[in-house]
Amino acid sequence: MGKIKRHGLSVRFVHWAVAISTIALIFSGFGQMPVYKRYMIDQLPGLAWTSDFSINLLIHYTAAGVLIFAVAYHIVYHIIRKEFDIWPRKGDFKESYLIIKAMLTKGEEPESDKYLAEQRLAYAYIGVMLIVIIISGIIKVLKNLPSISLEMDTLIWVSTVHNAATILLILGIVGHLAAFVFKANRPLLPGMFTGWVDEDYARRRHGVWYRKIQEDKKTNLQHK
Amino acid sequence: MSKITRRDFLKRSAASGLAAGVILSGLEKPARAYSGTVQYGTLIDLTRCDGCAHLDVPACVSACREENKSKFPHPVPSEQINNYWPQKKKEDWSDKKEIINRLTPYNWITVQKVSVEHDGRVVEVNIPRRCMHCDNPPCSNICPFGAQAKTPEGPVLINHELCFGGAKCRSVCPWGIPARQAGVGLYMKIAPQYLGGGVMYKCDLCYHRVTKGQQPACVESCPRGAIQFAAKDEIKQRAEERAKEINGFVYGDKENGGTSTFYVSQVPFEKIHQQLVRQKSNQPNPEAPGYPLMPVNVGNYLDTVNGLIAGMLAAPLAGAAVAGYTAYKKMKDGE
């Protein structure tokens, strides 16, 4: 069976850097609330460090650096290359409804571009949450400096936005992972690990994208 | 994708760099240092404090309790307060309100007494202890809910309506000052059996009086003028002068990155600290908070992470630069 290139190294790097740093941020972020000691998680083997606020804070800052690096890389890289395949489009809500309906009823789903409509929406949702978390997080980091102090109301707002966006992000991640409950979506998985997906899958489900690739190939051949 | 010219590349790099920069870096505006308000400080002259030997309760302690009683906790009855599940304990001081020899949610200032040997003689030292109102307070900075803040005037306040009683502020305070009362506050409205621990309480330097131009109750009540209150700069100067005059020492200027409380003593604070450690180790529970020590030159909990900030703020620039280079190289290769 033929394979087709779906993601380059840059995309996979960004995806996994964001995924791993976000998991570390969520874990160490919960560690900023004194939950691991209270619920005795720190008494489980190998997890004694979880109730140490300074270790959690160090992990939080380091993982935040990785996340911000990856997000900046992602934005700049795709703007320069004018690659906006994953940017949400008009009609995406309706289209994703039709795709999910088709998956549930085993009916026919609309032909997709490189990304499914719900992937574009999920990207926007998770992207907005990450940006909100990063902005509020940077404010929180700056206010830790001796030279910067925030008024109580600002502090409450920033903390609440940071915490609420985190909860919404966690829901988004759960939704993202839940997509793979559907067998129809599983052929996408190897794409994020190896960069390649089955050509048959691409032709069947991502017809718009598949045709573009074929046309690009033809154009390139003509130029050579 | 078609090949890219150098001019195109620079144009697009500038545009994307600007976008990333605006999104990730231009955020310092909301974070500002206070200016234009007088910041206050207190001087606690240990050569003048005698712990009110003639009274049952030191005057500063009774004045504080009287002045702040309306802010003290009103928890549900003790028998209705849950343990901190899954642990089998709770911090409930509602039946121990009368305690004055330590900090509790109902006692925001306490006077410690130690005997210190110095220059061949034994000196009795009485030390009024309460929140130091630090310059860069880790307690308020690390509160996950933003339930604490430093005011422009200097006092660090706890928002009793928002505090969930996790007591993290106490863990990161070098002196373990805030005290927790269970059975009161926001957590009681959510799931008190499983979440939250109560509300944290500590000295607010009588903020309600300070904002009216009055002195804190402990300052006003001291019969020997051992606690002074004024603009922080002036207080600091007075502390240094007094220390020089008695050939003594200052505590609170450098500790935790600087505080607005300046102790002056004729005996070294290292020796006072040693005695306090000794006293504490003799307590039935030597780990108990509420008996603050006096570690000299103790660092700020945030020192380590604040050292990482340059790396963190450089992350978006580094990400943008690497992305620019990678994208340019790939597009030059015709990918």
Side-chain angles (χ1 to χ4, degrees):
Chain A
M1 203 190 298
K3 297 275 181 192
I4 197 162
K5 183 85 184 272
R6 183 164 171 86
H7 298 306
L9 195 59
S10 282
V11 169
R12 283 178 287 148
F13 159 72
V14 167
H15 177 268
W16 291 112
V18 168
I20 293 166
S21 60
T22 301
I23 290 168
L25 281 158
I26 292 171
F27 187 84
S28 55
F30 273 91
Q32 303 304 315
M33 294 180 284
V35 296
Y36 299 131
K37 188 179 177 115
R38 159 77 185 262
Y39 300 109
M40 303 199 270
I41 308 285
D42 63 344
Q43 290 179 23
L44 297 173
L47 291 178
W49 58 273
T50 56
S51 57
D52 185 328
F53 297 132
S54 14
I55 293 176
N56 275 306
L57 199 58
L58 209 57
I59 296 173
H60 209 68
Y61 269 55
T62 311
V66 173
L67 176 69
I68 295 170
F69 178 93
V71 168
Y73 181 99
H74 171 75
I75 294 171
V76 173
Y77 182 83
H78 292 291
I79 289 181
I80 290 177
R81 288 173 60 87
K82 290 188 180 164
E83 289 172 341
F84 302 110
D85 307 278
I86 203 161
W87 202 251
R89 300 170 190 173
K90 210 176 160 192
D92 271 358
F93 280 104
K94 195 180 168 197
E95 195 174 318
S96 59
Y97 164 74
L98 292 174
I99 294 172
I100 293 167
K101 193 171 105 181
M103 282 193 293
L104 291 172
T105 60
K106 305 218 180 323
E108 201 167 312
E109 66 178 41
E111 205 176 33
S112 288
D113 202 339
K114 182 169 182 178
Y115 295 99
L116 305 167
E118 61 257 45
Q119 282 183 300
R120 290 193 291 267
L121 292 175
Y123 167 81
Y125 178 85
I126 288 179
V128 167
M129 291 312 143
L130 285 176
I131 293 291
V132 170
I133 290 168
I134 288 172
I135 292 173
S136 52
I138 288 178
I139 298 172
K140 278 165 77 88
V141 162
L142 290 175
K143 69 105 180 73
N144 282 348
L145 289 170
S147 52
I148 296 173
S149 201
L150 294 184
E151 285 169 39
M152 187 172 258
D153 285 349
T154 317
L155 212 52
I156 293 173
W157 266 103
V158 171
S159 306
T160 308
V161 165
H162 197 72
N163 298 347
T166 301
I167 300 299
L168 294 174
L169 176 71
I170 293 171
L171 294 177
I173 295 169
V174 169
H176 173 50
L177 296 175
F180 298 105
V181 169
F182 295 107
K183 271 191 180 157
N185 292 332
R186 286 184 204 163
L188 284 166
L189 276 173
M192 206 38 98
F193 289 98
T194 66
W196 298 81
V197 290
D198 286 342
E199 187 170 353
D200 186 44
Y201 165 79
R203 185 170 41 229
R204 188 166 37 81
R205 204 173 189 209
H206 300 266
V208 180
W209 176 51
Y210 187 75
R211 281 195 298 278
K212 276 186 203 163
I213 293 171
Q214 300 307 318
E215 276 162 29
D216 275 356
K217 265 188 196 165
K218 265 189 224 162
T219 324
N220 283 344
L221 280 175
Q222 280 164 5
H223 280 290
K224 278 186 182 168
Chain B
M1 185 177 278
S2 61
K3 287 197 177 187
I4 183 174
T5 65
R6 186 177 291 269
R7 179 188 290 267
D8 248 4
F9 168 75
L10 290 175
K11 257 163 61 183
R12 289 193 217 166
S13 302
S16 53
L18 192 68
V22 166
I23 293 168
L24 297 172
S25 310
L27 303 159
E28 293 188 36
K29 277 181 199 158
R32 62 174 179 82
Y34 290 114
S35 56
T37 309
V38 176
Q39 201 182 331
Y40 295 98
T42 43
L43 163 61
I44 303 182
D45 189 340
L46 300 184
T47 63
R48 291 196 174 132
C49 176
D50 68 349
C52 290
H54 59 294
L55 297 172
D56 290 339
V57 179
C60 57
V61 175
S62 45
C64 172
R65 290 167 71 98
E66 179 59 29
E67 183 66 36
N68 293 300
K69 63 183 175 193
S70 65
K71 301 175 204 160
F72 288 165
H74 296 284
V76 297
S78 280
E79 60 278 10
Q80 290 174 29
I81 300 177
N82 296 293
N83 280 339
Y84 299 141
W85 181 90
Q87 305 193 27
K88 297 199 172 11
K89 62 165 195 181
K90 60 184 172 187
E91 290 179 28
D92 175 20
W93 294 91
S94 55
D95 53 356
K96 298 186 272 279
K97 290 178 188 164
E98 69 292 348
I99 288 179
I100 58 158
N101 67 347
R102 57 168 291 170
L103 298 172
T104 79
Y106 300 90
N107 196 61
W108 296 357
I109 185 168
T110 185
V111 180
Q112 298 173 316
K113 291 177 199 294
V114 287
S115 299
V116 179
E117 219 181 295
H118 185 59
D119 282 346
R121 62 195 177 99
V122 175
V123 183
E124 298 289 324
V125 190
N126 294 278
I127 324 154
R129 300 304 301 275
R130 47 132 175 94
C131 174
M132 304 280 284
H133 301 286
C134 302
D135 295 343
N136 188 34
C139 58
S140 71
N141 274 322
I142 53 73
C143 176
F145 303 106
Q148 283 195 44
K150 186 167 178 70
T151 59
E153 295 85 357
V156 179
L157 309 185
I158 298 175
N159 181 337
H160 296 158
E161 307 297 313
L162 190 60
C163 176
F164 223 68
K168 190 182 171 192
C169 51
R170 183 173 64 196
S171 306
V172 300
C173 170
W175 303 282
I177 298 285
R180 175 162 63 178
Q181 174 60 47
V184 63
L186 184 61
Y187 92 112
M188 292 299 286
K189 294 180 185 152
I190 300 170
Q193 295 92 330
Y194 307 113
L195 295 172
V199 174
M200 307 304 296
Y201 294 87
K202 68 167 190 72
C203 157
D204 62 1
L205 209 65
C206 292
Y207 189 61
H208 61 288
R209 292 173 60 94
V210 170
T211 48
K212 281 191 281 189
Q214 298 170 331
Q215 296 192 325
C218 57
V219 177
E220 201 174 72
S221 64
C222 180
R224 296 169 66 96
I227 313 179
Q228 301 171 33
F229 177 81
K232 192 185 159 191
D233 293 345
E234 193 193 324
I235 279 290
K236 185 180 166 176
Q237 202 182 337
R238 275 194 223 169
E240 283 162 0
E241 280 167 8
R242 177 72 181 146
K244 211 170 163 187
E245 196 181 307
I246 59 169
N247 196 21
F249 306 88
V250 175
Y251 185 85
D253 185 22
K254 296 189 176 64
E255 282 69 25
N256 207 20
T259 79
S260 45
T261 305
F262 299 81
Y263 286 92
V264 177
S265 157
Q266 61 186 134
V267 299
F269 285 96
E270 285 85 352
K271 289 188 176 178
I272 295 177
H273 176 66
Q274 277 170 9
Q275 289 307 312
L276 290 171
V277 170
R278 199 185 53 80
Q279 264 183 14
K280 194 168 178 177
S281 64
N282 292 333
Q283 295 282 350
N285 173 13
E287 299 299 313
Y291 301 96
L293 305 172
M294 285 197 128
V296 173
N297 278 333
V298 63
N300 189 299
Y301 169 82
L302 292 164
D303 286 347
T304 311
V305 286
N306 280 340
L308 294 178
I309 199 159
M312 231 181 137
L313 294 179
L317 301 175
V322 177
Y325 174 74
T326 316
Y328 178 60
K329 207 163 157 267
K330 283 192 94 172
M331 290 158 91
K332 214 175 149 203
D333 295 343
E335 273 186 57

